[in-house]
Amino acid sequence: MITYGRKSIALDQVEWVSYSSTQVAQKRFMFPTFYDNTWDFRVGRYPYHGGPKVAVSFSKGGRRAEQPQEWTFLVNLARQYLEPRLLNELVTQVRRGETVTVGGSVKVSSEGIACAKPRSSLPWAAINPAFPHNGMIWTHQTGVEKPVLTVPLSHPNAALIPDLFAALRS
């Protein structure tokens, strides 16, 4: 069970996970640059907007602020207990012929992926392995240097995209 404030959700009821860390630098005229660091962790059930969820945010100033131990614990909990189950469920659904949505807008089917923004549709043979980079999941089309998709890790189940794509490409 994950509980924060008055909100709680059982681990076996979680349908999506989302976590991210950001650092924003505010440059001010004649003053030192101020750094604002934010760490967000969310788990919940669909629908993503309006469904039950638990959201935890941490913030700290400073150029080299260390991530909070609580955030690290929650992310590790999600990676160890939630993501393997969610990944297995998504792979099973796609292999049954269903289309699933990950990262908020990426439609995944047995034929490949499709996304409305940016408008793209690719078969599995044309997709290189997805990977995390600067808080995003990058997906490249074979032979193209610029990523065809970039999905923020803050989007629901975005962290599952590399393993999901790898499982379905094999």
Side-chain angles (χ1 to χ4, degrees), residues 133-152:
H133 178 71
N134 286 343
M136 309 278 268
I137 300 295
W138 285 28
T139 304
H140 287 83
Q141 182 176 355
T142 303
V144 178
E145 189 174 322
K146 184 179 176 186
V148 67
L149 284 177
T150 55
V151 180

Side-chain angles (χ1 to χ4, degrees), residues 2-135:
I2 295 178
T3 301
Y4 184 70
R6 294 183 177 198
K7 306 266 183 165
S8 63
I9 190 167
L11 294 180
D12 62 348
Q13 298 296 307
V14 171
E15 295 177 337
W16 57 264
V17 298
S18 163
Y19 44 85
S20 63
S21 64
T22 57
Q23 182 182 63
V24 177
Q26 297 177 5
K27 298 182 185 221
R28 302 174 296 177
F29 181 69
M30 295 187 60
F31 290 98
T33 301
F34 177 76
Y35 294 89
D36 185 32
N37 304 281
T38 306
W39 296 270
D40 292 311
F41 177 85
R42 294 180 186 90
V43 292
R45 294 180 54 85
Y46 288 109
Y48 180 67
H49 296 290
K53 69 179 171 190
V54 174
V56 183
S57 290
F58 303 92
S59 63
K60 196 183 292 184
R63 184 174 187 170
R64 292 187 175 89
E66 290 188 31
Q67 61 192 25
Q69 291 179 344
E70 299 86 349
W71 182 82
T72 304
F73 172 81
L74 291 169
V75 170
N76 289 337
L77 176 83
R79 287 179 178 160
Q80 186 174 358
Y81 294 103
L82 299 174
E83 289 181 11
R85 175 181 57 83
L86 295 172
L87 178 63
N88 186 42
E89 290 172 1
L90 291 170
V91 169
T92 300
Q93 286 176 293
V94 172
R95 289 193 173 146
R96 278 196 312 242
E98 298 174 34
T99 299
V100 298
T101 303
V102 293
S105 62
V106 180
K107 306 283 185 196
V108 180
S109 69
S110 57
E111 287 81 39
I113 64 170
C115 189
K117 290 183 182 179
R119 182 174 286 281
S120 60
S121 180
L122 295 170
W124 288 116
I127 302 170
N128 283 343
F131 60 92
H133 178 71
N134 286 343

